[in-house]
């Protein structure tokens, strides 16, 4: 059944006509799909359409399930490649707008990592207090809902889901339909290996080498880079990202100190350094550590330890580096009205912020708030901010190797077994050695790729900021990702983006063609002869002209169609396609090969993805 909170949300925002005309069913599974042309409906859901996306928004639920199973899928952008990739978040308050924000973050993150995958995200509307069996059943049901979209979306874990849940998805939909699977499926276990948290420490290491170049900027003229033994780190959110960041710092950089951590129950701070190994072990056992371990430490001899039940107050403490790793996008703001974890006027003294948590949002108000915060923190206080998707991409880099280093054909689960958990597990057990060897090869490839990608991102970030006094870190980061998407986009062709084009026989009447145009909702029809070869096109304008000229509706269509057709070839680049559309002042044209219509390209598709325009402007500037 549809989750009650989800139904209430959708009923409040979508008119009854939308339910009647858009709701589709497939064996008890219900889908409400919206494209970027559905600006009004998406706006009602809190999603704004911009130059990057979204490409697809789906509200989906299982009407036959005995328990509530439903949520949202957003495929934001496929410029870097298909499918899109991003985690499944499970929260009772998840909304389409939240999923879209996260999907946009994945668009930029995958681009920053130069991964051949678009950005997507999914959200399950469910509480985190479900018992283990109910949790697994919800994930299994949601996986079945997602199967329809497995060519354009591959999930991984996120808040509320884990590597074991990705195994459940893979059992239902196939090994290549989920990433961050356990090692018995050849997976890279993002949560277990701490891929994202480890990436933040690699970023910090790289920044210590890169930051001296910022001294040429006035706000960094007095910048001091401490030796490793004096590097102190605060970690807001000692969870899947934060705990692994602390562990990785300890392993890679034992001289550095984690001086403060927080979780839902409070925070710990000790300028002499906290016992990371003990805290990590405790987190593995119990999840939350500050209250339990704080009491233990207070009983000991540490006179410098501070224990608080107010987790946000960790951001009042000072250290060389802050790593925000709690699932709170708005960790800092100049305005208390936005409900930040801390306001800028009360925050501690730091030299660099490495964002472990996802903070990006395409929402205009959030973007303005972010820029306001960065002006106060970066420009006025001289604190470098390493934007989330440039530094916490370790997880998606690890996950991507499960698709880049492909599963051998002999290790693919037989299609007939999918959905049968016991049979699949028996089959996995038979191939355990081969899967574990595959997992190890992927892990080694991941670590090398993560290190190279994040170091390059830090180099480009500092380089961009040092070259432009007025640039904010959020702007520099976005340029890095968009530049990579634009570069990738310029290599794509009409064949990569064509959409289905409706055909109609030249012998049809004007009335029949007009009816077909309305039914298909397309701006243009391809007119073909009896051999299905293209002989013309007809648009709304042609029908309006026919009406104005009082041409009878029973007249053959070939009398009003445009015979001299502007078309694209499948091998035309997107830049060439865009130029043809603009030069001829048309909104759409067929993609033709050997006289046959393969599909169509439209200005809606290309103008919405203004990556091509960005690439043009970048080339003109060079």
């Amino acid at each position: 059944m549809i989750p009650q909170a989800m139904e209430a949300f959708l009923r409040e925002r979508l008119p009854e006509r939308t339910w009647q005309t858009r709701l589709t069913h497939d064996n008890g599974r219900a889908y409400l799909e919206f494209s970027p042309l559905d600006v009004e409906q998406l706006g009602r859901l809190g999603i704004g359409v911009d130059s990057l996306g979204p490409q697809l928004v789906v509200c989906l639920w299982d009407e036959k399930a005995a328990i509530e199973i439903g949520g949202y899928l957003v495929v934001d952008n496929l410029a870097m490649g298909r499918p899109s990739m991003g985690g499944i978040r499970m929260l009772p308050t998840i909304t389409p707008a939240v999923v879209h924000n996260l999907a946009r973050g994945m668009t930029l993150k995958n681009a920053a990592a130069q991964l051949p995958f678009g950005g997507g995200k999914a959200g399950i509307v469910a509480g985190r207090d479900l018992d283990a069996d109910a949790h697994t059943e919800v994930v299994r049901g949601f996986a079945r809902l997602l199967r329809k979209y497995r060519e354009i979306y591959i999930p991984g874990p996120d808040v509320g889901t884990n590597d074991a849940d990705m195994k459940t998805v893979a059992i239902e939909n196939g090994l290549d339909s989920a990433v961050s699977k356990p090692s018995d499926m050849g997976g890279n276990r993002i949560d277990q290996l701490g891929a994202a948290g480890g990436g933040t420490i690699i970023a910090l290491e790289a920044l210590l080498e890169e930051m001296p170049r910022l001294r040429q900027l006035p706000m960094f003229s007095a910048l001091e880079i401490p030796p490793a033994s004096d590097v102190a780190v605060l970690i807001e959110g000692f969870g899947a990202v934060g705990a692994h960041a602390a562990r990785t710092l300890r392993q890679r950089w034992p001289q550095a100190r984690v001086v403060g951590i927080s979780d839902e129950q409070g925070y710990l701070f000790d300028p002499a350094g906290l016992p990371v190994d003990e805290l990590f072990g405790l987190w593995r056992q119990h999840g939350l550590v500050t209250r339990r371990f704080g009491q233990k430490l207070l009983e000991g001899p540490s006179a410098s330890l501070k224990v608080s039940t107010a987790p946000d107050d960790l951001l009042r403490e000072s250290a060389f580096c802050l790593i925000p790793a709690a699932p709170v996008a708005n960790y800092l703001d100049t305005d208390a009205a936005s409900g930040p974890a801390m306001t800028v006027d009360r925050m501690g003294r730091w030299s660099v912020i490495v964002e472990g948590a996802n903070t990006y949002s395409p929402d205009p108000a959030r973007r303005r708030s972010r820029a306001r915060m960065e002006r106060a923190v970066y420009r006025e206080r001289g604190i470098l901010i390493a934007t989330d998707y440039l530094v916490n991409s370790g997880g998606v880099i690890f996950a991507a190797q499960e698709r880049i280093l492909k599963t051998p054909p002999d290790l693919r689960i037989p299609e007939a077994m999918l959905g049968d958990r016991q049979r699949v597990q028996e089959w996995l057990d038979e191939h355990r050695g081969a899967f574990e060897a595959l997992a190890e090869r992927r892990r080694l490839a991941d670590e090398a790729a993560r290190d190279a990608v994040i170091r390059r991102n830090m180099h480009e970030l500092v380089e961009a900021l040092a070259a432009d006094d007025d640039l904010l870190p959020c702007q520099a980061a976005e340029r890095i990702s968009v530049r990579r998407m634009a570069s990738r986009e310029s290599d794509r062709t009409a064949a990569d983006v064509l959409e289905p084009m409706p055909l109609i026989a030249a012998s049809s009447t004007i009335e029949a063609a007009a009816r077909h145009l309305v039914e298909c909702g397309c701006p243009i029809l391809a007119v073909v002869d009896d051999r299905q070869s293209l002989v013309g096109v007809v648009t709304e304008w042609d029908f309006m002209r026919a009406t104005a000229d009082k041409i009878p509706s029973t007249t053959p269509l070939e009398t009003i169609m445009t015979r001299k057709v502007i078309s694209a070839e499948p091998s035309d680049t997107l830049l060439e396609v865009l130029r043809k559309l603009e030069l001829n002042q048309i909104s759409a044209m067929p993609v033709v090969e050997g006289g046959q219509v393969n599909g169509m390209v439209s200005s809606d598709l290309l103008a919405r993805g203004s990556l091509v325009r960005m690439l043009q402007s970048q080339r003109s500037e060079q």
Side-chain angles (χ1 to χ4, degrees):
M1 67 183 77
I2 184 172
Q4 292 184 13
M6 179 181 179
E7 182 173 26
F9 177 89
L10 294 176
R11 290 288 182 187
E12 180 182 349
R13 285 160 178 79
L14 297 177
E16 185 61 31
R17 178 168 177 78
T18 299
W19 289 80
Q20 294 172 354
T21 59
R22 291 302 186 89
L23 185 60
T24 61
H25 299 84
D26 179 12
N27 193 30
R29 301 178 186 114
Y31 301 91
L32 279 170
E33 294 185 356
F34 303 100
S35 79
L37 300 181
D38 299 313
V39 176
E40 180 182 351
Q41 291 94 330
L42 291 176
R44 290 175 178 271
L45 296 177
I47 296 174
V49 178
D50 61 18
S51 61
L52 296 182
Q55 177 163 315
L56 174 69
V57 175
V58 189
C59 310
L60 58 172
W61 63 91
D62 190 330
E63 294 180 323
K64 290 186 176 180
I67 60 175
E68 295 184 350
I69 299 176
Y72 309 102
L73 166 66
V74 176
V75 176
D76 181 54
N77 185 286
L78 294 170
M80 292 299 293
R82 298 167 68 98
S84 64
M85 187 178 291
I88 299 176
R89 182 165 292 198
M90 182 189 288
L91 289 173
T93 56
I94 201 78
T95 66
V98 169
V99 178
H100 176 228
N101 285 349
L102 296 168
R104 175 58 51 81
M106 292 306 305
T107 293
L108 299 173
K109 185 181 296 187
N110 291 344
Q114 284 192 311
L115 296 172
F117 302 103
K121 208 79 173 182
I124 300 176
V125 181
R128 299 182 67 179
D129 56 350
L130 296 174
D131 63 49
D133 290 342
H135 176 98
T136 299
E137 187 58 33
V138 168
V139 172
R140 181 180 292 117
F142 196 71
R144 292 168 181 158
L145 291 168
L146 289 178
R147 185 167 189 171
K148 178 180 179 181
Y149 304 99
R150 61 180 177 174
E151 296 301 318
I152 59 170
Y153 172 66
I154 301 298
D158 198 338
V159 175
T161 61
N162 55 34
D163 300 339
D165 294 324
M166 296 309 104
K167 181 174 183 176
T168 297
V169 175
I171 288 172
E172 293 297 325
N173 297 342
L175 281 178
D176 290 337
S177 297
V179 291
S180 187
K181 303 179 291 291
S183 59
D184 69 348
M185 283 184 160
N188 269 327
R189 319 170 311 284
I190 293 171
D191 287 342
Q192 182 182 339
L193 297 174
T200 64
I201 303 306
I202 294 170
L204 178 57
E205 290 177 350
L207 287 172
L208 287 175
E209 299 172 5
E210 300 285 348
M211 286 177 67
R213 289 193 290 157
L214 293 175
R215 290 192 178 113
Q216 66 191 62
L217 301 176
M219 59 278 207
F220 290 98
S221 59
L223 174 67
E224 294 184 7
I225 305 295
S229 58
D230 289 338
V231 170
V233 178
L234 297 173
I235 299 177
E236 179 208 24
F238 202 73
V241 175
H244 281 286
R247 177 185 61 85
T248 304
L249 183 70
R250 174 73 173 161
Q251 291 176 344
R252 294 177 66 109
W253 211 353
Q255 310 98 312
R257 307 184 314 281
V258 174
V259 297
I261 66 166
S262 68
D263 60 21
E264 295 176 10
Q265 295 180 339
Y267 83 84
L268 308 174
F269 179 79
D270 190 337
L274 294 168
V276 168
D277 293 339
E278 293 179 68
L279 288 168
F280 186 81
L282 194 64
W283 171 74
R284 281 286 202 197
Q285 285 183 289
H286 303 286
L288 301 175
V289 302
T290 57
R291 181 178 299 172
R292 184 186 303 268
F293 206 70
Q295 290 301 317
K296 176 182 176 181
L297 290 177
L298 284 175
E299 295 169 1
S302 177
S304 57
L305 177 68
K306 184 186 295 185
V307 179
S308 171
T309 57
D312 290 346
D313 283 351
L314 177 69
L315 274 66
R316 292 190 180 200
E317 306 292 352
S318 297
F320 178 76
C321 174
L322 167 69
I323 299 179
V328 178
N330 191 22
Y331 66 97
L332 272 181
D333 198 352
T334 57
D335 184 3
S338 68
M342 185 60 58
T343 52
V344 170
D345 61 310
R346 300 164 62 214
M347 73 184 208
R349 296 185 306 278
W350 317 309
S351 294
V352 59
I353 299 172
V354 179
E355 295 184 333
N358 295 321
T359 63
Y360 180 85
S361 172
D363 177 71
R366 288 270 300 278
R367 287 169 65 88
R368 288 191 296 270
S369 174
R370 173 70 182 217
R372 188 170 61 241
M373 181 273 281
E374 290 200 356
R375 283 191 289 270
V377 173
Y378 167 76
R379 192 171 291 166
E380 296 177 13
R381 301 195 180 204
I383 301 172
L384 177 61
I385 303 173
T387 311
D388 62 344
Y389 52 84
L390 296 184
V391 300
N392 68 6
S393 55
V396 72
I397 292 170
F398 271 45
Q401 288 299 324
E402 295 183 35
R403 298 276 301 195
I404 294 172
L405 208 168
K406 299 185 181 299
T407 303
D410 60 315
L411 289 182
R412 297 181 186 276
I413 301 171
E415 192 77 15
M417 288 187 186
L418 293 180
D420 188 329
R421 195 174 189 88
Q422 181 175 343
R423 288 184 65 198
V424 169
Q425 187 58 58
E426 291 172 353
W427 189 87
L428 293 174
D429 290 341
E430 291 174 9
H431 299 81
R432 180 176 295 275
F435 274 121
E436 290 181 348
L438 177 61
E440 182 62 12
R441 290 200 302 274
R442 285 170 168 169
R443 184 187 66 80
L444 294 173
D446 290 336
E447 291 180 351
R450 179 182 63 179
D451 194 294
V453 164
I454 293 177
R455 287 182 179 278
R456 182 195 63 214
N457 285 346
M458 295 303 93
H459 174 78
E460 293 186 15
L461 174 66
V462 172
E463 186 174 57
L465 293 172
D468 187 343
D469 293 13
D470 295 327
L471 200 62
L472 294 173
C474 63
Q475 297 166 334
E478 198 166 77
R479 284 188 187 182
I480 290 170
S481 289
V482 170
R483 189 186 306 124
R484 289 182 183 140
M485 283 189 281
S487 178
R488 178 103 177 174
E489 192 86 346
S490 68
D491 296 331
R492 300 176 78 198
T493 65
D496 294 324
V497 300
L498 60 81
E499 303 170 294
M501 186 174 194
L503 309 180
I504 191 163
S507 58
S508 301
T509 64
I510 294 175
E511 180 182 13
R515 186 165 54 248
H516 188 37
L517 191 75
V518 171
E519 290 172 352
C520 69
C522 187
I524 186 172
L525 297 178
V527 184
V528 296
D529 60 19
D530 54 3
R531 293 175 299 178
Q532 297 298 293
S533 295
L534 181 70
V535 294
V537 295
V538 62
T539 67
E540 294 174 351
W541 171 252
D542 295 313
F543 294 116
M544 292 173 61
R545 187 179 59 188
T547 301
D549 293 344
K550 298 183 179 179
I551 298 176
S553 61
T554 54
T555 302
L557 179 62
E558 58 186 356
T559 62
I560 68 164
M561 71 182 185
T562 299
R563 296 176 181 273
K564 187 176 181 180
V565 179
I566 307 298
S567 65
E569 297 182 1
S571 60
D572 285 349
T573 68
L574 295 194
L575 282 172
E576 292 170 332
V577 170
L578 182 64
R579 291 190 187 109
K580 283 185 180 181
L581 292 170
E582 291 181 335
L583 182 63
N584 294 282
Q585 298 183 345
I586 55 178
S587 63
M589 62 182 174
V591 178
V592 181
E593 185 175 21
Q596 303 294 302
V597 179
N598 288 0
M600 60 176 279
V601 288
S602 66
S603 56
D604 284 331
L605 174 68
L606 296 179
R608 177 175 59 82
S610 64
L611 300 171
V612 176
R613 298 181 186 277
M614 292 177 187
L615 180 63
Q616 286 178 313
S617 64
Q618 288 171 0
R619 285 181 173 173
S620 65
E621 292 170 0
Q622 295 173 351

